Amino acid sequence: MTTADDHAMQRALALADEAAAASEIPVGAVVLDREGRIIAEGRNTREATNDPTDHAEIVALRGAAASVGSWNLEGHTLVVTLEPCIMCAGAILQARISRVVFGAWDDKAGAAGSMYDVLRDRRLPYRAEVIGGVQAEAATARLRAFFEQRR
């Protein structure tokens, strides 16, 4: 993990807080360019948009592709507070993201090593480097607090 990854995770956690304040599941994501600069960010907006694909990762990938002017994000890093799900893992691979750094593990739907390991599946034509558990306690605490309020 790099200093840029740590800075990016701090921003992703702030985006997760924004999501929670908007009654969305608290997940935030940012995309870093090859130099480690944030070029796009996203947070869950599924409730606001009624779009089942509006996960933080997808929102951030859309922004990064627009920023770069290409769907191909090879050499870029996605930093997200929660382990990506299968849908997001597929989008990450389609975008050719080179590295994924995430916070909390998702034992129920994770696709980066918990339940599935889509991002590193050798049967697929493209794989991403995965670094999990970065600031996991902070990310997990946000998720736990969000769901405890709703129970």
Side-chain angles (χ1 to χ4, degrees), residues 46-139:
R46 192 170 62 169
E47 299 299 326
T49 63
N50 294 313
D51 182 343
T53 68
D54 270 1
H55 289 197
E57 299 95 324
I58 302 294
V59 174
L61 289 173
R62 287 176 182 147
S67 174
V68 171
S70 173
W71 62 267
N72 189 331
L73 299 173
E74 191 166 355
H76 291 71
T77 298
L78 175 75
V79 179
V80 60
T81 59
L82 179 63
E83 180 182 1
C85 69
I86 292 173
M87 175 186 70
C88 292
I92 289 163
L93 295 178
Q94 289 297 317
R96 302 294 191 260
I97 288 285
S98 297
R99 294 175 67 240
V100 176
V101 176
F102 70 86
W105 295 90
D106 186 350
D107 294 334
K108 295 179 182 172
S114 285
M115 188 162 206
Y116 305 100
D117 201 358
V118 174
L119 294 176
R120 295 178 287 202
D121 191 323
R122 295 199 178 279
R123 297 169 293 181
L124 298 173
Y126 190 83
R127 287 171 291 288
E129 176 187 354
V130 175
I131 302 166
V134 175
Q135 297 186 36
E137 287 181 19

Side-chain angles (χ1 to χ4, degrees), residues 15-66:
L15 290 163
D17 290 340
E18 290 178 20
S23 298
E24 301 276 357
I25 296 173
V27 178
V30 298
V31 176
L32 305 178
D33 66 10
R34 295 171 192 269
E35 287 76 41
R37 296 176 299 224
I38 295 174
I39 62 164
E41 56 185 40
R43 64 174 179 80
N44 279 359
T45 56
R46 192 170 62 169
E47 299 299 326
T49 63
N50 294 313
D51 182 343
T53 68
D54 270 1
H55 289 197
E57 299 95 324
I58 302 294
V59 174
L61 289 173
R62 287 176 182 147

